[in-house]
Amino acid sequence: MHLRDGAALKTVVPHTAAQFARAIVMPNLRPPITTAEQALAYRARILEAVPHGVPFEPLMTLYLTDRLPPEEITRAARAGVVACKLYPAGATTHSDAGVTDLRHISATLEAMQREGMPLLVHGEVTSPDIDLFDREAVFIERHLVGLRRDFPELKIVLEHITTREAAAYVREAGPLTAATITAHHLLYNRNALFTGGIRPHYYCLPVLKREIHRQALIEAATSGDSAFFLGTDSAPHAAHLKEHASGCAGCYTAHAAIEMYTEVFDAAGALDKLEAFASFHGPDFYGLPRNTGRIQLRRESWLPPERFAFGDGELKPLRAGENLPWRMVSH
Ligand code: DOR
């Protein structure tokens, strides 16, 4: 998920820590987190924003660029950095420093493979000639299949998958390939972007897809297959930058993500599969111990706040002003 930096941390970190005992923290700050030292300094800033007495472990990542040296991977692994994120340059928010060609990062990927450090992938091509809704499926064909073949021992997580093609690929790709699925891609199809007018708070990347894809994601998430696990990609932006002529991509769900996932699993009749999706498959894939704490959710309608303070601006969460049918009552 995206925690951002500076004043934003004061809003986002307490929400996150109230829901999750740890989180994989995306490195797409400006400038991006590209060294072990920066990751540790960012981690310290995050920890300062954790409310007193709340246990929360930020799991740090590095941002791959065309020039990230392989030696930095070794330093990062020693510093406890858990993964590196691949943003194809231009694919999404703050990805301009990202990778322009996978051939530029071969030595770095080899170092990651050696260290057992997972590669987290924003899986979309960036070519303007590829339809926005096809960019994930085309990325799999053009890049992921080759990456998987060339680095057979590298752990790869295809992040925030949105298509039936991605779910099918990951299901067949073997034990070193996994995928995360967001709450918003499980809850909504692309109609949500246009119902009654253009609705910027439903805009994220990869963009919401057709209903057949949402159904494929629900099937994957609730299947019990350990290749699929929770990853919110919660991405806060100030409301005025989303409600804008070229609004920012990102849905903010950190305040109520677990309740949203619960709603989806309940509607699919698969509440018994929720715990493993949320709490077992991810740490098992990363080789981290499972958390031992427990949370309790109750079927109880409640209304989350419509907006939160966010630095100098405000933050409107996904589904602002709507009741949620499940509520976390203890942790
Ligand atoms: O919608 C998104 N927002 N997708 C991403 O990949 C990045 C994120 C952000 O950082 O805002």
Side-chain angles (χ1 to χ4, degrees), residues 2 4 28 87 92-93 122 160 204-206 233 235 237 249-251:
H2 302 270
R4 312 297 192 213
N28 61 334
Y87 289 103
T92 186
T93 310
H122 183 110
H160 44 57
C204 62
L205 287 169
D233 199 36
H237 290 277
C251 296

Side-chain angles (χ1 to χ4, degrees), residues 6-281:
L9 292 176
K10 292 197 175 67
T11 305
V12 179
V13 172
H15 288 169
T16 307
Q19 294 242 316
F20 299 107
R22 58 189 166 192
I24 310 274
V25 180
M26 289 300 110
N28 61 334
L29 304 184
R30 268 212 164 118
I33 302 293
T34 55
T35 66
E37 197 183 337
Q38 288 167 350
L40 290 178
Y42 182 31
R43 181 170 181 277
R45 297 196 294 280
I46 294 166
L47 287 174
E48 271 171 35
V50 176
H52 190 66
V54 178
F56 179 68
E57 190 186 7
L59 299 169
M60 307 311 293
T61 61
L62 293 194
Y63 180 114
L64 290 173
T65 68
D66 283 347
R67 282 178 302 281
L68 192 114
E71 308 80 65
E72 197 58 39
I73 299 299
T74 315
R75 272 194 288 276
R78 288 205 191 108
V81 167
V82 297
C84 293
K85 180 80 185 269
L86 166 65
Y87 289 103
T92 186
T93 310
H94 301 172
S95 64
D96 28 309
V99 174
T100 60
D101 188 325
L102 285 175
R103 284 172 296 194
H104 295 154
I105 60 165
S106 307
T108 306
L109 294 175
E110 261 161 41
M112 290 172 61
Q113 181 167 250
R114 236 182 359 258
E115 294 288 347
M117 184 180 280
L119 172 70
L120 316 182
V121 181
H122 183 110
E124 289 194 285
V125 291
T126 54
S127 350
D129 54 316
I130 305 294
D131 189 279
L132 185 78
F133 292 93
D134 297 335
R135 289 183 184 177
E136 182 176 276
V138 173
F139 180 90
I140 294 169
E141 273 168 42
R142 286 196 190 164
H143 302 296
L144 194 54
V145 169
L147 198 61
R148 184 65 291 164
R149 186 192 54 229
D150 296 344
F151 299 92
E153 303 298 322
L154 181 65
K155 288 187 189 178
I156 299 178
V157 184
L158 188 54
E159 298 290 351
H160 44 57
I161 61 167
T162 61
T163 56
R164 132 178 110 162
E165 288 85 350
Y169 173 78
V170 169
R171 198 175 287 118
E172 300 301 324
L176 295 183
T177 309
T180 57
I181 311 181
T182 75
H184 44 286
H185 290 104
L186 289 169
L187 282 166
Y188 296 106
N189 65 37
R190 65 192 193 179
N191 288 344
L193 279 161
F194 306 108
T195 302
I198 193 150
R199 305 219 289 171
H201 294 284
Y202 292 84
Y203 175 54
C204 62
L205 287 169
V207 73
L208 296 171
K209 304 293 191 302
R210 283 179 183 275
E211 180 63 9
I212 48 161
H213 296 292
R214 188 180 80 91
Q215 289 301 333
L217 299 181
I218 292 175
E219 199 190 307
T222 60
S223 65
D225 185 337
S226 61
F228 300 101
F229 46 85
L230 182 152
T232 65
D233 199 36
S234 173
H237 290 277
H240 71 279
L241 296 178
K242 284 192 70 65
E243 298 162 4
H244 188 274
S246 61
C248 295
C251 296
Y252 185 69
T253 55
H255 67 302
I258 196 67
E259 286 95 339
M260 293 184 191
Y261 282 109
T262 306
E263 178 180 339
V264 171
F265 276 66
D266 185 22
L271 282 176
D272 60 323
K273 299 289 197 306
L274 177 62
E275 184 180 25
F277 175 80
S279 308
F280 299 162
H281 299 165

